[in-house]
Amino acid sequence: NLLVGGGVRMGRQAVVEALQMSLTRLGKSYVDLYQLHFPFPYVGGNQALAEGLAECVDRGLCKAVGVSNYNAQELRAAHAISL
């Protein structure tokens, strides 16, 4: 496993599927917060990561997305993608 949480994930849909699998394991239909703990090079590209996170919110799988350990430039870049 190359990433924390296991495996290599690629593309927008992989983000959604990862959360859906977690929700199934937890026996929940949604989480309040989907948290990224640090910026990392997403194999599918940051555009796909941001779109996947946005889709999770749109589908009601999470109420919000949060980040930590992002500097101001990284946060602005992530926000620009999600607009």
Side-chain angles (χ1 to χ4, degrees):
N1 292 338
L2 300 174
L3 299 175
V4 176
V8 174
R9 297 186 182 109
M10 293 178 59
R12 172 187 184 147
Q13 194 57 38
V15 176
V16 177
E17 290 171 0
L19 181 53
Q20 287 174 319
M21 288 186 294
S22 292
L23 292 172
T24 298
R25 285 191 305 274
L26 292 167
K28 302 290 181 184
S29 60
Y30 72 94
V31 292
D32 291 318
L33 178 66
Y34 200 176
Q35 179 79 25
L36 299 178
H37 293 283
F38 54 86
F40 61 94
Y42 186 68
V43 177
N46 287 333
Q47 180 81 30
L49 176 61
E51 289 174 356
L53 293 168
E55 184 174 337
C56 289
V57 173
D58 292 344
R59 292 177 59 179
L61 301 175
C62 63
K63 291 185 178 182
V65 173
V67 298
S68 58
N69 300 307
Y70 276 56
N71 64 35
Q73 181 180 354
E74 292 164 330
L75 189 54
R76 281 191 295 270
H79 187 260
I81 290 171
S82 66
L83 293 177

